[in-house]
Amino acid sequence: MTFFICTTCAVQFDDRDRPPESCPVCSDPRQYVPAAGQRWTTLEEIRRDHTTEVAPQGDLIGIGPRGGPGIGQRALLVPWGETNLLWDCVALLDEQTAVEIERRGGLGGIAISHPHFYSTMVEWAHRFDCPIHLPRTDAEWIMRPDPAIRLWDGDRLDLGHGVSLHRLGGHFPGSSVLVQEHGSDGRGTLLSGDLPLPAQDRRWVSFMWSYPNMIPLPDHEVRRIADVLAEISFETLHSAFWGDPVTDASEVVARSARRYCAALERVGAG
Ligand SMILES: [Zn+2]
Ligand SMILES: [Zn+2]
C-alpha cells in the first residue's frame, strides 16, 4: 500500500495499491492538470530527490522544499506559547527539518489556509503528534482523512497565545488567514496563504478565485473580504511564497480592494 502524492499540487492521498484515477484538487478549475498529464510521486521519492530550505521570513521562519512537487509554497513556523504552529504545509518533511523544528520548540499544531496546501499534513501531524486545524466547509478536499484533523466551524477560531484563524472564503469557502497579534513588534502579522496575494512591488495585493487560470473574484466578494480584514489590526502580511512581506499591510489591503473594484467597474464586470 502506498500514500501517493500528486506531483502538481503535492496533496497526499490515503493508502492504496495503485494511484488514484485523477487528482480532484488539480481537476478543479482553481488548479490544473499539466498538459503532459497527471503524475504521481511518493514522500520517499521526494526525500531522495530534494532538500528543504529553512530561512527567516521577517520575524518568522520559512520552511520549503528546493524544487519538487507543489505550487512553490513554503510553510511558516509561528511562535505559539512554548512551542510553534505550522502555518500552511509543504510535501517534503525530512528528518533534518524535523530536528531543526524540534530545536526551535517543536510543533503544537498545524493550520492551513486552503486545500492547495494540504500536501502531506498528516505526515507532519504524526511526526510531531499534533492536531491539524481545518475549516469544516473545506472538508470535502481532505484526500487523506486522519484522527489528527480537527474541523472548526464558524468564521473564527481562537488558538490562544494571541493567534487566531479567520475564515475569509472567496478562493475556497474555507479560505482562511492566520493572525498573530504579537507579531511585527505587537502591531500584528497576517498570514494569508494566497488570498490576498501580494503583487510584485509589495505595495499592492490581489484577490483571485483561480490563480493558474486567472479567474478573478466578483467585486462584492472582494468588498466583503476587505471588510473582514478591516476589523483586524496588522502591520505585516506574508503570503505562502518566499519573499519580502508586505508592510503597512492593513492600508495596502484596503486600497488594493478599492483599486480592484474600480478596475472591474471600468470593464463593466462589477
Ligand atoms: Zn493535484
Ligand atoms: Zn490556492
Side-chain angles (χ1 to χ4, degrees):
M1 299 295 262
T2 306
F3 293 99
F4 287 98
I5 293 174
C6 169
T7 306
T8 310
C9 70
V11 168
Q12 188 183 47
F13 287 66
D14 50 9
D15 62 335
R16 52 189 77 206
D17 51 17
R18 63 173 67 111
E21 294 281 305
S22 64
C23 171
V25 179
C26 289
S27 305
D28 177 85
R30 285 163 288 192
Q31 245 294 99
Y32 66 98
V33 178
Q38 175 70 47
R39 285 171 50 233
W40 302 97
T41 185
T42 61
L43 184 51
E44 292 69 31
E45 258 179 29
I46 303 169
R47 280 178 179 146
R48 196 189 59 212
D49 298 339
H50 298 281
T51 55
T52 301
E53 182 168 2
V54 178
Q57 290 281 271
D59 52 8
L60 303 173
I61 298 293
I63 299 167
R66 296 182 177 92
I71 303 162
Q73 81 269 21
R74 53 105 182 87
L76 287 167
L77 202 58
V78 182
W80 186 58
E82 301 280 284
T83 175
N84 300 284
L85 281 172
L86 188 72
W87 170 246
D88 282 331
C89 199
V90 294
L92 176 55
L93 169 60
D94 52 32
E95 195 50 28
Q96 201 181 341
T97 309
V99 168
E100 179 66 24
I101 292 170
E102 270 167 353
R103 193 178 67 76
R104 294 169 185 272
L107 277 192
I110 299 167
I112 303 180
S113 60
H114 72 293
H116 289 155
F117 302 148
Y118 284 179
S119 62
T120 58
M121 58 182 178
V122 173
E123 302 277 352
W124 289 76
H126 289 178
R127 175 64 179 76
F128 292 97
D129 192 21
C130 70
I132 306 166
H133 302 284
L134 301 179
R136 190 180 303 278
T137 39
D138 287 347
E140 64 178 293
W141 298 101
I142 298 167
M143 298 301 150
R144 182 179 172 186
D146 190 87
I149 298 171
R150 293 190 197 159
L151 300 175
W152 58 280
D153 296 292
D155 293 333
R156 184 193 152 107
L157 179 68
D158 192 345
L159 292 170
H161 304 292
V163 174
S164 51
L165 306 178
H166 301 254
R167 194 171 66 84
L168 298 184
H171 182 35
F172 277 81
S175 280
S176 305
V177 292
L178 182 147
V179 176
Q180 185 201 17
E181 277 172 36
H182 310 308
S184 308
D185 293 325
R187 285 170 296 164
T189 300
L190 184 80
L191 309 185
S192 73
D194 62 6
L195 182 78
L197 190 72
Q200 294 298 332
D201 64 7
R202 297 297 193 259
R203 295 179 57 242
W204 299 91
V205 296
S206 197
F207 313 83
M208 300 289 272
W209 182 73
S210 171
Y211 290 92
N213 294 303
M214 296 167 281
I215 304 172
L217 279 170
D219 64 341
H220 61 87
E221 276 287 89
V222 171
R223 274 196 203 97
R224 184 188 58 71
I225 289 166
D227 286 348
V228 174
L229 292 175
E231 298 293 312
I232 301 168
S233 127
F234 54 95
E235 157 65 22
T236 307
L237 183 161
H238 291 272
S239 75
F241 302 95
W242 292 107
D244 293 330
V246 174
T247 54
D248 194 18
S250 283
E251 172 54 29
V252 167
V253 167
R255 75 167 181 244
S256 299
R258 288 194 298 273
R259 181 175 85 162
Y260 182 105
C261 293
L264 285 198
E265 224 166 81
R266 279 202 302 281
V267 297

